[in-house]
Amino acid sequence: MTTVRGTSVDIPTPDGTADAYLAFPDDNSPHPAVLFYMDAFGLRPHLKKMADRLAGAGYTVLVPNVFYRHRPAPVFDLPDFIDPRERPNLWEQITPVLRSLTPELATRDAGAYLDWLADRPEATDGPVGITGYCMGARLALRTAGAYPERVAAAACFHGGGLATDAPDSPHLLADRITAELYFGHADQDHSLPPEQIDRLDKALTEAGVRHRTEVYTGAAHGYTQADTAVHDAEATERHWTALLSLLSRSL
């Protein structure tokens, strides 16, 4: 098995310093870079474990705390295991922080993350891959649209709000995307109803974007997150298979 090294890093941005987690194979060789966008619960031990697993497959993985403007991770006081009873109180904390990360700020930050990865000896030259979860799926789609020459592949898992009626909806960037995309939607996800999935697919198809959409039947929003009650082990393994396949043919 590949030995993985993980470390905390700081990334300079136009608005300050973003704390982040970096994982990579400990073999003194550069590897293709992957930008890993967190879910709304934030950078925490479970996401670091996911990054380590991805690094073990041969990638240099960066997981930024996208809420760094508020404070370093952990931004929220999270229990070790998030069950439905905790969610209302947690969302009272999370919602204002989430809303403060505007598309403009997120896009600016993405450029800083990509610049930082490009300068790292652990990362190979060339375009990067992206994987995003929940709100991170929106960030992945926006980054692919804002920096098409720098993103070769992007995967979005149980993403919400990907194709809304808002004038800044992520799907409206479809005509700028050159990366190959993969979507692993959750079945009956209130944050991404069927009409949004159809709208997203239509926009991507009309723009000629290479993409694959799958709906994981029976999986709930957040199914990859093993520190929550909605975790689905079977759907999570399916997600790993799809993600690694996308990255292996793109990077």
Side-chain angles (χ1 to χ4, degrees):
M1 292 183 64
T2 301
T3 301
V4 170
R5 183 177 175 187
T7 184
S8 297
V9 296
D10 290 326
I11 303 170
T13 79
D15 300 320
T17 300
D19 54 303
Y21 179 72
L22 183 71
F24 51 92
D26 193 13
D27 59 5
N28 296 313
S29 298
H31 294 270
V34 177
L35 178 57
F36 182 127
Y37 277 127
M38 65 188 217
D39 63 353
F41 293 129
L43 180 55
R44 59 195 191 280
H46 170 62
L47 294 192
K48 293 179 181 180
K49 290 179 182 178
M50 292 182 70
D52 288 347
R53 177 168 175 174
L54 188 50
Y59 299 96
T60 292
V61 185
L62 179 68
V63 192
N65 167 25
V66 302
F67 296 149
Y68 72 88
R69 290 178 180 83
H70 296 269
R71 61 170 157 170
V75 177
F76 312 112
D77 184 18
L78 299 173
D80 292 334
F81 184 79
I82 303 168
D83 66 32
R85 291 172 298 179
E86 270 104 20
R87 283 181 177 267
N89 289 334
L90 283 174
W91 278 106
E92 285 185 10
Q93 302 176 52
I94 293 170
T95 298
V97 175
L98 179 60
R99 288 177 176 169
S100 72
L101 185 63
T102 64
E104 293 77 14
L105 293 178
T107 300
R108 194 158 71 215
D109 288 343
Y113 304 148
L114 294 172
D115 286 345
W116 189 89
L117 277 169
D119 290 337
R120 294 297 297 191
E122 299 91 349
T124 55
D125 294 333
V128 308
I130 305 176
T131 186
Y133 302 86
C134 301
M135 62 158 276
R138 293 197 298 275
L139 299 180
L141 202 54
R142 291 193 188 283
T143 302
Y147 302 96
E149 73 287 355
R150 305 178 71 174
V151 179
C156 302
F157 297 99
H158 46 81
L162 298 179
T164 70
D165 294 325
D168 58 359
S169 176
H171 80 287
L172 298 176
L173 296 171
D175 62 352
R176 299 185 57 187
I177 294 172
T178 58
E180 180 178 352
L181 306 182
Y182 175 86
F183 298 90
H185 301 309
D187 188 29
Q188 300 179 9
D189 188 342
H190 65 86
S191 67
L192 195 76
E195 57 268 25
Q196 283 200 41
I197 295 176
D198 291 343
R199 185 182 296 147
L200 175 62
D201 280 341
K202 181 179 179 181
L204 295 171
T205 299
E206 290 179 350
V209 178
R210 293 167 298 156
H211 70 285
R212 182 176 181 181
T213 297
E214 295 185 320
V215 177
Y216 292 18
T217 302
H221 179 79
Y223 61 79
T224 61
Q225 304 304 299
D227 58 351
T228 76
V230 296
H231 178 242
D232 184 315
E234 182 177 350
T236 297
E237 288 308 309
R238 182 178 175 183
H239 130 274
W240 281 116
T241 298
L243 174 59
L244 292 174
S245 177
L246 174 68
L247 295 177
S248 68
R249 65 177 176 265
S250 303
L251 300 182

